[in-house]
Amino acid sequence: MFYTVTFNPCIDYVVKVDGLKMGETNRASNEELQFGGKGINVSYILKQLGVESVALGFSAGFVGEALLQHLDEVGLKSDFVRLKNGNTRINVKLKGENETEINAQGPEISNDELNELLLKLERVTAGDTVILSGSVPKGVDTDIYAKIVEAVGNKGADTVVDATGELLLNTLKFRPLLIKPNKSELEVLSGKRLESTEDILDAAFGLQKKGAKNVLISLGADGALLVTETGEVFCEKALGGKPVNTVGAGDSMLAGFLSELNNGFLSALRMGLAAGGATACSLTLATRDEILRLFNI
Ligand SMILES: Nc1ncnc2c1ncn2[C@@H]1O[C@H](COP(=O)(O)OP(=O)(O)OP(=O)(O)O)[C@@H](O)[C@H]1O
Ligand SMILES: [Mg+2]
């Protein structure tokens, strides 16, 4: 079984305002609610590809209830810790001539509530994979993913980490199966500008030396590189046409890759590129048909 973990899910309130004027009352020409969270996106794309998962994480207040109801409606299994205080965050995306985003902080998670998640993860066994995606709210230690990777590893299950900075670096000594930085995250992790493919590969090998088994580097419109624990290097171009909305492309790539990993690294990478590309080329997360159309090209 796959388990995704989303510490700080959100509902995006996407408001279109023509001629937005700060400091004045504006009227929206369109408004929409979009449910999000990186782990939830991964679960959604896994489901599109016929792979069951359980979405874990933290939800709070009536916004959290709406999010969980949405997961139910789209047929995703979930098992969230319900926080006592606060509300799951609502991010505001203002779409005018350009885009202005306000990402909220999200509710506080107490130690007891954190432990509730760790308890839920005690059910994992060998053969399971736990996917840790995204940042954690302020107040949660940057060793939290490391703790989970260690605990899950002790049970014989695999872990995947899609995060950056200390949150990711602290996990490496516990040997996650896969990490998926994009290029700018890799630059932050390695502390230098990465100009060439060689630079990128060097940085990926550096993370492998620190403990990551496989490193998948997504390069947006330039495709992706994969460095495997078997010492192979794969480099593939992006799939799909003109991008429409790349939100969730990285999460889609991760889900596509993992859904196909039993069929080998190259096939997994191609499914990752198909899923990432399909999401980039659609307004929302991609559907099964959109992904398979690109995979079968
Ligand atoms: N503009 C694009 N054109 C074609 N494919 C794209 C484009 N952007 C993203 N993709 C596909 O999606 C994959 C992941 O995208 P990207 O490298 O932007 O991930 P990311 O920065 O982690 O995204 P996220 O915002 O979801 O975290 C790419 O490797 C590529 O396959
Ligand atoms: Mg990403």
Side-chain angles (χ1 to χ4, degrees):
M1 178 59 88
F2 285 92
Y3 295 91
T4 62
V5 182
T6 311
F7 268 69
N8 210 357
C10 58
I11 295 183
D12 287 345
Y13 184 49
V14 186
V15 192
K16 194 160 186 308
V17 186
D18 304 316
L20 176 70
K21 290 197 188 74
M22 296 311 265
E24 290 188 24
T25 300
N26 295 271
R27 287 202 178 274
S29 58
N30 189 53
E31 64 250 15
E32 215 175 280
L33 290 173
Q34 293 173 358
F35 296 87
K38 298 181 77 61
I40 290 170
N41 292 345
V42 172
S43 277
Y44 182 85
I45 296 292
L46 283 174
K47 187 174 174 63
Q48 293 299 310
L49 295 169
V51 179
E52 286 294 315
S53 71
V54 180
L56 304 176
F58 298 93
S59 67
F62 75 91
V63 184
E65 288 306 311
L67 178 80
L68 296 180
Q69 192 188 327
H70 169 78
L71 295 185
D72 247 16
E73 281 166 11
V74 296
L76 292 182
K77 286 199 201 106
S78 69
D79 187 8
F80 275 60
V81 176
R82 279 141 127 154
L83 301 174
K84 276 180 218 76
N85 298 315
N87 257 299
T88 290
R89 62 197 173 134
I90 298 177
N91 296 332
V92 181
K93 315 270 161 169
L94 289 172
K95 300 207 168 200
E97 276 70 56
N98 37 42
E99 283 188 24
T100 307
E101 299 195 356
I102 302 166
N103 285 348
Q105 292 182 49
E108 261 176 49
I109 301 171
S110 70
N111 274 335
D112 283 353
E113 289 163 335
L114 210 50
N115 285 331
E116 267 187 67
L117 176 77
L118 299 178
L119 267 177
K120 285 184 191 291
L121 283 165
E122 283 195 2
R123 75 178 87 158
V124 304
T125 54
D128 289 340
T129 303
V130 175
I131 303 156
L132 303 167
S133 293
S135 59
V136 298
K138 222 171 56 188
V140 175
D141 282 347
T142 56
D143 66 353
I144 184 64
Y145 280 3
K147 269 192 188 149
I148 295 176
V149 172
E150 183 183 22
V152 166
N154 286 340
K155 299 222 161 231
D158 284 318
T159 44
V160 175
V161 186
D162 180 7
T164 190
E166 292 293 306
L167 200 54
L168 171 68
L169 286 173
N170 291 337
T171 68
L172 297 182
K173 64 172 180 285
F174 301 112
R175 311 226 53 217
L177 174 74
L178 179 71
I179 61 174
K180 193 218 72 66
N182 62 25
K183 190 177 158 203
S184 61
E185 288 163 348
L186 196 60
E187 286 181 334
V188 172
L189 291 166
S190 62
K192 51 182 173 237
R193 294 255 324 139
L194 305 172
E195 312 279 359
S196 63
T197 303
E198 284 66 40
D199 290 350
I200 295 172
L201 288 177
D202 274 352
F205 291 137
L207 294 176
Q208 250 188 341
K209 274 207 199 83
K210 289 193 168 128
K213 289 184 185 163
N214 300 286
V215 184
L216 173 60
I217 306 128
S218 64
L219 303 168
D222 293 327
L225 290 168
L226 173 67
V227 174
T228 72
E229 61 180 322
T230 49
E232 290 164 289
V233 173
F234 298 90
C235 174
E236 291 280 314
K237 290 205 167 64
L239 296 169
K242 193 172 168 319
V244 179
N245 177 12
T246 61
V247 174
D251 308 329
S252 302
M253 152 168 270
L254 199 53
F257 183 90
L258 292 171
S259 75
E260 189 65 14
L261 196 49
N262 286 340
N263 295 324
F265 286 119
L266 183 59
S267 193
L269 180 56
R270 289 194 175 138
M271 188 60 92
L273 288 161
T279 287
C281 292
S282 84
L283 275 173
T284 55
L285 294 177
T287 61
R288 175 186 178 80
D289 286 352
E290 289 165 340
I291 298 168
L292 294 184
R293 207 178 303 134
L294 290 183
F295 183 66
N296 291 321
I297 279 174

mmCIF file of all heavy atoms in Angstrom, residues 38 180 182 218-221 223 238-239 243 246 248-251 253 273 276-277 280, ligand 1:
data_model
loop_
_atom_site.group_PDB
_atom_site.id
_atom_site.type_symbol
_atom_site.label_atom_id
_atom_site.label_comp_id
_atom_site.label_asym_id
_atom_site.label_seq_id
_atom_site.Cartn_x
_atom_site.Cartn_y
_atom_site.Cartn_z
ATOM 1 N N LYS A 38 0.249 18.685 -1.517
ATOM 2 C CA LYS A 38 1.084 17.896 -2.423
ATOM 3 C C LYS A 38 0.856 16.391 -2.292
ATOM 4 O O LYS A 38 0.756 15.680 -3.281
ATOM 5 C CB LYS A 38 2.548 18.259 -2.218
ATOM 6 C CG LYS A 38 2.810 19.732 -2.556
ATOM 7 C CD LYS A 38 4.241 20.128 -2.397
ATOM 8 C CE LYS A 38 5.098 19.643 -3.523
ATOM 9 N NZ LYS A 38 4.705 20.177 -4.813
ATOM 10 N N LYS A 180 12.879 13.754 -4.854
ATOM 11 C CA LYS A 180 12.585 14.383 -6.144
ATOM 12 C C LYS A 180 12.724 15.910 -6.100
ATOM 13 O O LYS A 180 11.729 16.631 -6.120
ATOM 14 C CB LYS A 180 11.182 14.016 -6.660
ATOM 15 C CG LYS A 180 11.006 14.394 -8.103
ATOM 16 C CD LYS A 180 9.631 14.938 -8.441
ATOM 17 C CE LYS A 180 9.322 16.274 -7.959
ATOM 18 N NZ LYS A 180 10.069 17.424 -8.497
ATOM 19 N N ASN A 182 13.416 19.579 -7.678
ATOM 20 C CA ASN A 182 13.497 20.208 -8.996
ATOM 21 C C ASN A 182 14.840 20.944 -9.056
ATOM 22 O O ASN A 182 15.619 20.909 -8.107
ATOM 23 C CB ASN A 182 12.292 21.115 -9.261
ATOM 24 C CG ASN A 182 12.202 22.266 -8.267
ATOM 25 O OD1 ASN A 182 13.198 22.685 -7.695
ATOM 26 N ND2 ASN A 182 11.001 22.773 -8.056
ATOM 27 N N SER A 218 13.486 16.807 -11.458
ATOM 28 C CA SER A 218 12.570 17.296 -12.490
ATOM 29 C C SER A 218 13.066 18.650 -12.976
ATOM 30 O O SER A 218 13.534 19.471 -12.199
ATOM 31 C CB SER A 218 11.149 17.390 -11.937
ATOM 32 O OG SER A 218 11.089 18.342 -10.908
ATOM 33 N N LEU A 219 12.986 18.826 -14.283
ATOM 34 C CA LEU A 219 13.547 20.026 -14.913
ATOM 35 C C LEU A 219 12.484 20.784 -15.692
ATOM 36 O O LEU A 219 12.778 21.377 -16.741
ATOM 37 C CB LEU A 219 14.696 19.613 -15.857
ATOM 38 C CG LEU A 219 15.847 18.820 -15.209
ATOM 39 C CD1 LEU A 219 16.763 18.232 -16.268
ATOM 40 C CD2 LEU A 219 16.637 19.718 -14.259
ATOM 41 N N GLY A 220 11.252 20.761 -15.205
ATOM 42 C CA GLY A 220 10.178 21.494 -15.877
ATOM 43 C C GLY A 220 10.081 21.110 -17.347
ATOM 44 O O GLY A 220 10.060 19.923 -17.696
ATOM 45 N N ALA A 221 10.040 22.118 -18.207
ATOM 46 C CA ALA A 221 9.885 21.878 -19.652
ATOM 47 C C ALA A 221 11.069 21.113 -20.250
ATOM 48 O O ALA A 221 10.988 20.599 -21.371
ATOM 49 C CB ALA A 221 9.725 23.212 -20.368
ATOM 50 N N GLY A 223 12.273 18.323 -19.017
ATOM 51 C CA GLY A 223 12.177 16.891 -18.745
ATOM 52 C C GLY A 223 12.714 16.510 -17.388
ATOM 53 O O GLY A 223 12.443 17.210 -16.400
ATOM 54 N N ALA A 238 10.860 16.186 -21.829
ATOM 55 C CA ALA A 238 9.472 16.339 -21.372
ATOM 56 C C ALA A 238 8.504 15.831 -22.438
ATOM 57 O O ALA A 238 8.840 15.785 -23.621
ATOM 58 C CB ALA A 238 9.191 17.813 -21.062
ATOM 59 N N LEU A 239 7.313 15.435 -21.989
ATOM 60 C CA LEU A 239 6.255 14.998 -22.906
ATOM 61 C C LEU A 239 5.105 15.994 -22.834
ATOM 62 O O LEU A 239 4.885 16.622 -21.808
ATOM 63 C CB LEU A 239 5.759 13.611 -22.503
ATOM 64 C CG LEU A 239 6.772 12.470 -22.597
ATOM 65 C CD1 LEU A 239 6.230 11.222 -21.916
ATOM 66 C CD2 LEU A 239 7.095 12.169 -24.067
ATOM 67 N N PRO A 243 2.254 24.151 -22.178
ATOM 68 C CA PRO A 243 1.762 24.115 -20.799
ATOM 69 C C PRO A 243 0.638 25.117 -20.543
ATOM 70 O O PRO A 243 0.653 26.215 -21.082
ATOM 71 C CB PRO A 243 3.002 24.467 -19.974
ATOM 72 C CG PRO A 243 3.946 25.108 -20.898
ATOM 73 C CD PRO A 243 3.633 24.640 -22.278
ATOM 74 N N THR A 246 1.001 24.577 -14.611
ATOM 75 C CA THR A 246 1.963 23.561 -14.157
ATOM 76 C C THR A 246 1.811 23.221 -12.670
ATOM 77 O O THR A 246 2.582 22.421 -12.150
ATOM 78 C CB THR A 246 3.423 24.008 -14.421
ATOM 79 O OG1 THR A 246 3.659 25.205 -13.685
ATOM 80 C CG2 THR A 246 3.691 24.235 -15.892
ATOM 81 N N GLY A 248 1.147 21.329 -9.573
ATOM 82 C CA GLY A 248 0.955 19.888 -9.351
ATOM 83 C C GLY A 248 1.697 19.006 -10.338
ATOM 84 O O GLY A 248 1.583 17.775 -10.259
ATOM 85 N N ALA A 249 2.488 19.618 -11.230
ATOM 86 C CA ALA A 249 3.222 18.802 -12.219
ATOM 87 C C ALA A 249 4.243 17.906 -11.520
ATOM 88 O O ALA A 249 4.394 16.719 -11.860
ATOM 89 C CB ALA A 249 3.915 19.701 -13.246
ATOM 90 N N GLY A 250 4.927 18.462 -10.522
ATOM 91 C CA GLY A 250 5.925 17.683 -9.785
ATOM 92 C C GLY A 250 5.272 16.525 -9.032
ATOM 93 O O GLY A 250 5.794 15.407 -9.005
ATOM 94 N N ASP A 251 4.134 16.788 -8.406
ATOM 95 C CA ASP A 251 3.425 15.737 -7.663
ATOM 96 C C ASP A 251 2.936 14.646 -8.622
ATOM 97 O O ASP A 251 2.976 13.450 -8.315
ATOM 98 C CB ASP A 251 2.214 16.337 -6.930
ATOM 99 C CG ASP A 251 2.599 17.543 -6.092
ATOM 100 O OD1 ASP A 251 3.735 17.582 -5.588
ATOM 101 O OD2 ASP A 251 1.762 18.463 -5.968
ATOM 102 N N MET A 253 4.291 13.887 -11.504
ATOM 103 C CA MET A 253 5.461 13.129 -11.957
ATOM 104 C C MET A 253 5.828 12.058 -10.945
ATOM 105 O O MET A 253 6.075 10.900 -11.300
ATOM 106 C CB MET A 253 6.630 14.084 -12.159
ATOM 107 C CG MET A 253 7.974 13.429 -11.968
ATOM 108 S SD MET A 253 9.297 14.447 -12.528
ATOM 109 C CE MET A 253 9.397 13.895 -14.198
ATOM 110 N N LEU A 273 7.136 11.356 -16.581
ATOM 111 C CA LEU A 273 7.118 12.467 -17.545
ATOM 112 C C LEU A 273 5.740 12.606 -18.192
ATOM 113 O O LEU A 273 5.288 13.722 -18.464
ATOM 114 C CB LEU A 273 8.191 12.244 -18.609
ATOM 115 C CG LEU A 273 9.625 12.443 -18.098
ATOM 116 C CD1 LEU A 273 10.630 11.775 -19.023
ATOM 117 C CD2 LEU A 273 9.941 13.925 -17.933
ATOM 118 N N GLY A 276 3.511 14.176 -15.390
ATOM 119 C CA GLY A 276 3.893 15.583 -15.178
ATOM 120 C C GLY A 276 3.485 16.428 -16.375
ATOM 121 O O GLY A 276 2.904 17.515 -16.222
ATOM 122 N N GLY A 277 3.773 15.926 -17.559
ATOM 123 C CA GLY A 277 3.437 16.657 -18.790
ATOM 124 C C GLY A 277 1.937 16.812 -18.959
ATOM 125 O O GLY A 277 1.448 17.880 -19.350
ATOM 126 N N ALA A 280 0.750 19.446 -16.619
ATOM 127 C CA ALA A 280 1.194 20.780 -17.083
ATOM 128 C C ALA A 280 0.317 21.279 -18.232
ATOM 129 O O ALA A 280 0.088 22.477 -18.375
ATOM 130 C CB ALA A 280 2.660 20.729 -17.504
HETATM 131 N N1 LIG B 1 6.247 23.620 -19.012
HETATM 132 C C1 LIG B 1 6.245 22.276 -19.040
HETATM 133 N N2 LIG B 1 6.158 21.620 -20.220
HETATM 134 C C2 LIG B 1 6.153 20.268 -20.260
HETATM 135 N N3 LIG B 1 6.262 19.478 -19.167
HETATM 136 C C3 LIG B 1 6.336 20.103 -17.996
HETATM 137 C C4 LIG B 1 6.336 21.513 -17.851
HETATM 138 N N4 LIG B 1 6.407 21.808 -16.540
HETATM 139 C C5 LIG B 1 6.460 20.639 -15.898
HETATM 140 N N5 LIG B 1 6.432 19.595 -16.753
HETATM 141 C C6 LIG B 1 6.510 18.169 -16.442
HETATM 142 O O1 LIG B 1 6.307 17.940 -15.063
HETATM 143 C C7 LIG B 1 7.519 17.499 -14.426
HETATM 144 C C8 LIG B 1 7.657 18.143 -13.090
HETATM 145 O O2 LIG B 1 7.668 19.545 -13.242
HETATM 146 P P1 LIG B 1 8.602 20.526 -12.406
HETATM 147 O O3 LIG B 1 10.031 20.241 -12.681
HETATM 148 O O4 LIG B 1 8.086 21.888 -12.674
HETATM 149 O O5 LIG B 1 8.286 20.043 -10.930
HETATM 150 P P2 LIG B 1 8.149 20.862 -9.587
HETATM 151 O O6 LIG B 1 8.905 22.139 -9.694
HETATM 152 O O7 LIG B 1 8.495 19.950 -8.484
HETATM 153 O O8 LIG B 1 6.591 21.133 -9.582
HETATM 154 P P3 LIG B 1 5.582 21.407 -8.370
HETATM 155 O O9 LIG B 1 5.209 22.838 -8.530
HETATM 156 O O10 LIG B 1 4.447 20.480 -8.586
HETATM 157 O O11 LIG B 1 6.329 21.139 -7.097
HETATM 158 C C9 LIG B 1 8.637 17.858 -15.396
HETATM 159 O O12 LIG B 1 9.761 17.023 -15.246
HETATM 160 C C10 LIG B 1 7.916 17.671 -16.739
HETATM 161 O O13 LIG B 1 7.850 16.306 -17.061
#
